[in-house]
Amino acid sequence: VTGKREEEKKEKGDVYYTWERSFGMFTRSFKLPEGVDAEHVEAELKGGVLTIVAPKMAGFQPRKVTVKSVIEKVKGVLGKEEAKA
């Protein structure tokens, strides 16, 4: 994603006068996660909001990870009797 900012802000008061300018190019990039069908990615810019739709590839199965509870880890390190206390 690449864009350009062009903004001017003028403020006039009884005793002061300010003029701020904010401008410049910007670039943002990211990697698509594993299993995304890169050929069918769609993007839409509407009202200043960028929406990206990245569909999964057909038949892609995510990797499953088993997460043990903290109690099970403590039991393994301290022993069953000490973990109960």
Side-chain angles (χ1 to χ4, degrees):
V1 179
T2 302
K4 184 177 180 182
R5 285 186 207 106
E6 294 180 9
E7 181 182 334
E8 282 189 14
K9 182 180 175 185
K10 294 180 184 179
E11 203 172 304
K12 199 172 193 178
D14 293 337
V15 187
Y16 63 91
Y17 184 78
T18 63
W19 191 339
E20 295 180 26
R21 292 182 181 165
S22 175
F23 62 93
M25 297 289 295
F26 66 90
T27 301
R28 302 291 184 268
S29 63
F30 58 93
K31 292 183 180 183
L32 294 174
E34 184 181 339
V36 169
D37 185 358
E39 297 296 320
H40 295 98
V41 172
E42 295 179 7
E44 177 184 24
L45 181 62
K46 192 174 192 179
V49 176
L50 177 63
T51 303
I52 300 173
V53 177
K56 292 182 185 178
M57 291 187 329
F60 177 75
Q61 294 296 321
R63 185 176 66 135
K64 292 185 179 183
V65 177
T66 304
V67 178
K68 295 182 180 180
S69 72
V70 174
I71 303 250
E72 289 178 32
K73 288 183 178 182
V74 170
K75 285 180 183 177
V77 173
L78 299 178
K80 292 180 182 178
E81 296 303 317
E82 292 178 37
K84 288 182 183 179

